[in-house]
Amino acid sequence: MKDCSLRWTNFFNANEMEREERVWDMEFRVVREDNKTPLVRGIAAVFNKLSENLGGFREKIDPGAFDEVMNDDVRALFNHDRNLILGRTKPGTLRLSLTPEGLAYEYDDPGNSYSIDLLRSLERGDVSQSSFAFYVEDDRWDEDSEGRVIRTIKKFKRLFDVSPVTYPAYPDTSVGKRSLEAFEAEKTKGLQAQKDLEEMNERIAQFEINEANGLIGHKN
């Protein structure tokens, strides 16, 4: 009899067109030089680093996940508020780059009242978290050796904005949770299929044993 053990790696993309946001606790650098516009530098996302528990799963980002969205028209916003724009890639006031650590960004301070207040908060350390908003195109769901469910983002579909934010909480995991539910459902279905297959294999094996021992009659 063949060993018919179950091996599964789930790919689930039904929610690829739903906007998500994630937050990282990062350090900002404000660069001030004489007679020059201040620069703000930060990291929007970190590669291969597990997030905190997002409600039944953890998440990490593959290097290369941002490759297809680096030319998107991306905004820098404060707290993801479209009314508090800090920079934009199209005119060059926001610049994105990929580093070994993750997705980095820098923007030229626009010099308006809210951005000047934000500069002070960044320098004081009152604001120390960075976030980004996105669509996912490709992700993978697995369980690690400790039984934790891990979502790996393989490829982003769209990058909307990068944002210094006030709070470190993950504000939107509803999309991920629905993907988790689908993953768990597929896992349960797969485990049940494995159990059914094992039971069938056992019945076949027992039948073959009985037949070999002459316990099953044959008609002439």
Side-chain angles (χ1 to χ4, degrees), residues 121-191:
S121 296
L122 292 172
E123 290 177 319
R124 283 161 45 102
D126 297 333
V127 175
S128 61
Q129 284 80 37
S130 189
S131 178
F132 66 107
F134 57 91
Y135 285 158
V136 168
E137 180 164 335
D138 185 18
D139 60 2
R140 187 183 72 236
W141 293 81
D142 305 283
E143 278 189 1
D144 66 10
S145 59
E146 300 177 16
R148 298 177 301 183
V149 177
I150 308 296
R151 181 198 193 192
T152 302
I153 297 178
K154 307 290 290 183
K155 184 177 181 181
F156 290 102
K157 175 96 174 168
R158 178 79 167 86
L159 179 61
F160 292 98
D161 65 77
V162 293
S163 298
V165 292
T166 306
Y167 293 104
Y170 282 78
D172 177 15
T173 58
S174 58
V175 176
K177 286 179 180 178
R178 288 195 293 275
S179 296
L180 172 62
E181 291 170 359
F183 167 75
E184 295 288 1
E186 288 298 316
K187 175 185 171 183
T188 300
K189 185 187 300 183
L191 292 175

Side-chain angles (χ1 to χ4, degrees), residues 78-89:
F78 181 38
N79 281 330
H80 296 289
D81 188 334
R82 66 186 63 186
N83 298 306
L84 301 179
I85 187 164
L86 302 168
R88 183 177 176 184
T89 55

Side-chain angles (χ1 to χ4, degrees), residues 102-122:
L103 176 66
Y105 66 94
E106 69 173 24
Y107 66 85
D108 304 320
D109 178 66
N112 46 39
S113 59
Y114 61 82
S115 71
I116 292 172
D117 291 342
L118 176 59
L119 282 178
R120 297 193 187 102
S121 296
L122 292 172

Side-chain angles (χ1 to χ4, degrees), residues 41 80 218:
R41 291 174 178 158
H80 296 289
H218 296 276

Side-chain angles (χ1 to χ4, degrees), residues 48-82:
N48 289 325
K49 181 178 180 181
L50 278 180
S51 71
E52 64 185 45
N53 192 315
L54 299 180
F57 70 98
R58 296 176 184 269
E59 190 174 78
K60 64 179 180 178
I61 301 170
D62 262 5
F66 287 99
D67 287 354
E68 301 300 318
V69 297
M70 293 301 291
N71 292 322
D72 286 356
D73 187 10
V74 182
R75 275 73 167 172
L77 307 175
F78 181 38
N79 281 330
H80 296 289
D81 188 334
R82 66 186 63 186

